[in-house]
């Protein structure tokens, strides 16, 4: 598959109605990823609820956070959510809360372009660092992030106990 021309990738801010539609999809995917990573159904549900309450009170994204549609030549190809980490205005630490390239657009270099733009956006807002979380099962994402200079900051490990 041919790599995308970065000029063909655009980050389009999501409007209020788009955020509402996106939220249901993104939170479902977040909960599913937590289940796949080993959370119980109750823990995954609690994490989703906590995330919605913290970042989307009344269904609206909190101030200082940015949510974009990733568009490839005008067609929706995914999304990017970025903002200050555990703080509001003036935070020097920013976070990529969610990056998703839709399946049919994957393996074209879109995520790389988006992450490079995320770096620039965070810098424009005064960030000195940009962090993210990747579940261990998402090897392709981890490989991309490492190639972009991200270093592992912590490792959360678990194992299933047989017979328990």
């Amino acid at each position: 598959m041919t790599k995308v021309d970065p000029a063909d990738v655009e980050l389009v801010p999501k409007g209020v109605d788009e955020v509402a539609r996106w939220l249901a999809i993104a939170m479902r995917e977040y909960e599913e990823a937590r289940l796949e990573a080993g959370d119980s159904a109750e823990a995954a549900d609690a994490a989703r609820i906590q995330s919605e309450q913290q970042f989307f009170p009344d269904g609206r994204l909190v101030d200082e956070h940015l949510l974009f549609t990733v568009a490839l030549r005008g067609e929706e190809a995914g999304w990017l959510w970025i903002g200050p980490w555990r703080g509001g205005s003036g935070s020097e630490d920013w976070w990529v809360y969610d990056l998703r390239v839709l399946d049919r657009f994957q393996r074209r270099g879109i995520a790389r372009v988006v992450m490079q733009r995320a770096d620039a956006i965070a810098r424009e807002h005064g960030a000195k660092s940009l962090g993210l979380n990747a579940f261990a099962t998402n090897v392709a994402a981890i490989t991309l992030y490492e190639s972009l200079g991200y270093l592992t900051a912590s490792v959360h490990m678990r194992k299933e106990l047989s017979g328990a």
Side-chain angles (χ1 to χ4, degrees):
M1 192 165 288
T2 57
K3 294 295 179 184
V4 69
D5 180 344
D8 290 336
V9 178
E10 186 178 8
L11 298 180
V12 181
K14 286 189 179 290
V16 174
D17 291 340
E18 292 171 303
V19 169
R21 285 190 302 275
W22 168 86
L23 186 58
I25 296 165
M27 289 296 115
R28 184 190 74 243
E29 287 191 2
Y30 174 62
E31 191 169 349
E32 288 169 358
R34 294 199 63 107
L35 287 167
E36 185 178 329
D39 278 5
S40 67
E42 295 79 18
D45 184 56
R48 178 193 48 78
I49 290 168
Q50 187 276 330
S51 183
E52 285 186 56
Q53 290 173 346
Q54 179 179 357
F55 296 111
F56 297 90
D58 302 320
R60 294 176 165 266
L61 184 61
V62 294
D63 289 342
E64 307 296 325
H65 284 238
L66 305 168
L67 181 57
F68 301 95
T69 294
V70 175
L72 178 63
R73 292 184 294 278
E75 186 176 359
E76 183 175 353
W79 59 75
L80 171 68
W81 168 20
I82 185 172
W85 174 248
R86 295 187 187 210
S89 183
S91 177
E92 291 185 344
D93 299 314
W94 268 49
W95 197 258
V96 175
Y97 289 90
D98 198 7
L99 167 61
R100 173 77 158 93
V101 175
L102 301 176
D103 293 347
R104 69 182 185 276
F105 293 98
Q106 290 182 3
R107 305 283 183 254
R108 297 185 198 178
I110 295 170
R112 177 175 297 280
V113 171
V114 171
M115 287 300 297
Q116 290 166 337
R117 300 227 179 115
D119 287 356
I121 291 166
R123 274 193 211 98
E124 289 169 8
H125 286 85
K128 303 279 188 232
S129 70
L130 184 59
L132 52 82
N133 180 59
F135 289 108
T137 56
N138 196 345
V139 176
I142 292 167
T143 301
L144 168 66
Y145 301 144
E146 288 174 343
S147 78
L148 290 168
Y150 285 80
L151 303 174
T152 301
S154 79
V155 176
H156 176 107
M157 299 174 76
R158 65 171 285 173
K159 77 174 194 176
E160 294 294 323
L161 300 176
S162 62

